[in-house]
Amino acid sequence: MSAGWIFCVFVCICFPSGSFETLVVSKGNEQWIEVQRIKVDCKVTSRFAHTVMTTKALNKANVSQEVSFEVELPKTSFITNFSMSVLFHLIEFKSQVSEMIAACCDIFFVVFFFWIFREIDGKTYTGVVKEKEQAKQQYQKAVSSGQTAGLVKASGRKMEKFSVTVNVAADSSVIFILTHEELLQRHFGKYELMIRVKPKQLIQHFEIVADIYEPQGIAFVDAYGTFITNELLPLVEKTVTDKKAHVSFSPTLDQQRKCTECDGTLIDGDFFIKYDVNRAHDIGDIQIVNGYFVHFFAPANLPRVPKMVVFVIDNSYSMVGNKMAQTKEALVTILGELPEEDYFAIIVFSTTFVVWRPHLSKATPENVKAAQEYVKTIEVIAGTELHDAVMHGVKMLYEEQRNDTAPKNIVLMIILLTDGEPNTYPRTLPEIQENIRHTIDGNITLFSLAFGNDANYGFLDTLSKQNNGLVRRIYEDSDAPLQLKGFYEEVSSPLLSDVQFHYPDNTVNSLTRSHFKQLFNGSEIMVAGRLNDLNEIDNFAIEVFAQGFENNFELKGQANTQKWETIFPDEEYIFRDFTERLWAYLTIQELLDKKDKGTPEEKGNATDEALRLSLKYNFVTPLTSMVVTKPEDETKNDMFIADKLTEEERGKVQKYGYTAVAASYPKYSAAIYYVDGDPHFIIELPDQNDALCFNIDDKPGTIFNLVRDPLTGIVVNGQTIGDKKVIPGNKMHTYFGRFGIIHEKFGIRLMVSTNEILVSEKGKQAKFFWTDTAKVKGPNMDLQVIKDRSLTVTLRNSVKFLIILHKVWQKHPYHQDYLGFYTLDSHLFSSNVHGLLGQFYHGLEFEVSEPFPGKDPNKPDAIMFVKEHELVVTRGWQKDFRQDVKNGEKVPCWFIHNNGTGLLDGVHTDYIVSGLFKTI
């Protein structure tokens, strides 16, 4: 992070998610930025959480300062609004109007001030939700070379990060307001709000408020914090009545201090609010407001239904090491907790599959112990033959069902764990999915666990959705066994199966999903819809059918048709259109699921409807983006875009051209892609705290394509040169001696050699020499030449490159001058960018095994799993010459042998082109 200090506040979430906000200023200027206020205000009405985060900061310096606002949101929430207000010359303005408002309260002053401010300065910027591709095109068109900021990207396991940067004038304030909404899901018998509080400094006005209103009645509310000391405990205020709860935490400046004389803060940790609602053994709670209804269903005191479960476990070679050890540890624990009335089987698969026993076994102590001993013997082998293993698991379950081994209403499920890409020969991935879906035919629930970043999450997500299940990513960490066990506990205790909700004919429309494969202990089912006629609600009868333990389950009841004022008398606890927005939230989530399965027409219809609702209700979903334009002056606009990521996009740095932090103020070191030396290609990946490197060996004079982006029209080619002559007994060394840079959109051609720099733009030409020092600012390209050292190339609205000149003594008998090429800013390249360097611009996922001794005792080898390949790589280092052209700085990296084979798409000769300005 570029700042010397931060503050953070987590806001209301659904367990186990969370969100926090952070203010960042450029290093060295922190004493001039005063964070005056942080407020997190969350209203939860019938499980639907509406959260508003407000932050105010003052620039006390006599010069402008860059301030970045960062928020981490739960990945299940939708951003619905964002506004940013820059209040210029606040101190002078206060002095001018202080007498006018001396008798007024603070609230009046704030309202009055904003009214004056908006009328005079007009500096409030509000986000507008647009279709994603339209937003992207607008961004690429309007973005300037000045400060731009804005992103939403994955952060940790459950979060997505939103960021925006603004320039705050001297003696001025900035106010950020972000709103997001989320439907809280019930897990293990409770809803949970987690508020992570990490201010890192003392805040003048610090406040967290949560108001909860549940018409069913609140069963309990717990509020506590990991950082709460005996002194802070009285500040946690909790008020609970029959249907509402109020929780707040608002320490004064002195109460935040670690000690009387110090500036350190005690506020550093997690604040939790847990609650549940009252339940009965009936049809649940139905709420009708403004023509929309929502039905919550989680009857109390139901016995669990036995299950037959087949564990299908990947033991391919990519599971070697910790992943296999952690999987075995978790599976041993899970087996030990199986109820004795359950039945289970174990299948492990690699190139082929192996079944522990030919039939399912009852979970008796003897069978469980034998299975645990078997699990401990599982070893990794080779490929990933997922299809046949899952199909055999389905076959085993059907055989047991036909043989009447277990009770009639037993639940059938498969739990699949894999860490890679399934073998696709002789079947494609869609064929694998379709075969399994057709065979299961809605009778079995399939849950998938995607272990690590290399698992094909999209494939598993679709496979699970097609078979009434879900997918969960298991992160490679020390707590992986707990993650596995936690997921199993969520689905291990079914209470009902084949749950169907029937509503009166011709009375409802736009119904969300009303058929559920299971209801699990501690969870809840929600159905929402619209009423055709509000006059018919007096006859709004509900029927629920399901299969329970040893018998069928049937409930009938009447909806609660009380008026709004009766159900929700406390306006300050609610936001009035919550039922409609809850319906929209549920509908969009379900449509996003449908767009991944079904016929092409069904997928298209689901996508179109999800987009329509996202735009109507101002939700930032995977189909939309929020655009905020910041007019900096009369000649240019700054813009940023907030996206919603899919799970596949999480963790992939800069997946789209507009998801990146401004280069001047990165949160972390930017990824650098460069080629220098003989020629050594280096891919620095700070998100993974590692780097990859490879060499390309070919004859001098060969021209390689380094970067090619058909959408932006940017191409970079490089031509190699050799030594003057070969040292006896050595091979010919090659280096890059010329680069050609093309920007087709602006008609730019730039040729850089070790002697000169030639520029051509729409017929106009210029020439520079390395003996010059020059700084040229053109309409579409900036050039900066540092004598005998480097050339910086900035293409307007796009990218920045650095070319370094390596000078060699002119009379050296063997070597000659050569060039190095560095990509400093690649975030505006499209997702279609390619080339020897370009293919890595949007990130790379790989895994490296534990090192083992190699040929060189000082350079260990390891197995790298990347792009479906298993490569032997060697730990070494290369040099980065950006700061020290003469000596360079060592960069540790994993070296990929044989011209990058296995890491590159194709082979290195695929990147050879016929000319320095060849674009294809």
Side-chain angles (χ1 to χ4, degrees), residues 72-83:
E72 289 200 18
L73 306 170
K75 65 180 183 181
T76 52
S77 72
F78 291 156
I79 294 173
T80 62
N81 197 19
F82 175 76
S83 65

Side-chain angles (χ1 to χ4, degrees), residues 173-224:
S173 291
V174 60
I175 296 177
F176 301 100
I177 303 175
L178 180 74
T179 305
H180 69 91
E181 295 178 346
E182 179 185 16
L183 181 60
L184 302 183
Q185 300 293 328
R186 187 171 183 250
H187 294 280
F188 302 110
K190 59 181 176 293
Y191 310 95
E192 181 171 294
L193 310 178
M194 186 181 88
I195 304 168
R196 179 156 293 169
V197 187
K198 291 183 175 293
K200 301 296 183 183
Q201 62 170 293
L202 302 174
I203 307 298
Q204 186 67 42
H205 299 287
F206 182 88
E207 185 178 14
I208 299 172
V209 178
D211 289 309
I212 303 169
Y213 191 88
E214 294 288 351
Q216 285 178 256
I218 296 175
F220 70 87
V221 176
D222 292 330
Y224 63 93

Side-chain angles (χ1 to χ4, degrees), residues 40 116 216 262 287 312 512 545 578 628 676 727 766 802 903:
V40 179
I116 294 291
Q216 285 178 256
C262 59
Q287 298 167 19
V312 182
T512 62
F545 300 94
F578 86 94
V628 180
D676 213 329
I727 301 174
L802 175 70
L903 176 67

Side-chain angles (χ1 to χ4, degrees), residues 317-323 419 452-454 476 685 688-693 844-852 860-867 869-876 892-896 903:
Y317 191 76
S318 58
M319 290 283 291
V320 69
N322 282 339
K323 283 195 285 189
D419 76 328
N453 293 324
D454 291 331
E476 295 179 55
L685 301 167
Q688 294 171 266
N689 196 30
D690 214 337
L692 309 181
C693 49
L844 179 71
E845 294 184 353
F846 66 92
E847 179 186 350
V848 179
S849 70
E850 294 295 325
F852 52 85
D861 286 349
I863 302 295
M864 175 177 289
F865 308 98
V866 60
K867 294 185 177 179
H869 299 291
E870 297 180 7
L871 311 176
V872 177
V873 295
T874 302
R875 192 63 172 174
C893 61
W894 289 106
F895 182 78
I896 291 84
L903 176 67

Side-chain angles (χ1 to χ4, degrees), residues 32-79:
W32 299 110
I33 301 295
E34 177 188 346
V35 181
Q36 297 178 319
R37 185 186 185 200
I38 303 173
K39 182 174 182 180
V40 179
D41 188 357
C42 182
K43 294 189 186 308
V44 182
T45 309
S46 295
R47 290 73 148 175
F48 197 63
H50 176 91
T51 302
V52 179
M53 298 178 289
T54 305
T55 301
K56 182 179 180 181
L58 169 66
N59 175 19
K60 299 184 294 184
N62 57 8
V63 296
S64 64
Q65 304 283 349
E66 284 286 347
V67 179
S68 294
F69 173 74
E70 294 180 352
V71 179
E72 289 200 18
L73 306 170
K75 65 180 183 181
T76 52
S77 72
F78 291 156
I79 294 173

Side-chain angles (χ1 to χ4, degrees), residues 71-75 151-162 453 473 475 643-655 659 667-668 687 845:
V71 179
E72 289 200 18
L73 306 170
K75 65 180 183 181
L151 67 97
V152 173
K153 69 175 184 180
S155 177
R157 298 177 181 178
K158 299 291 183 181
M159 312 305 297
E160 290 169 355
K161 184 176 296 179
F162 167 90
N453 293 324
R473 190 183 297 281
Y475 293 85
D643 278 333
K644 181 71 180 174
L645 305 182
T646 65
E647 185 65 29
E648 287 183 275
E649 292 168 333
R650 290 174 53 81
K652 294 184 179 180
V653 179
Q654 302 171 343
K655 176 70 176 177
T659 53
K667 169 105 175 135
Y668 301 103
D687 278 3
E845 294 184 353

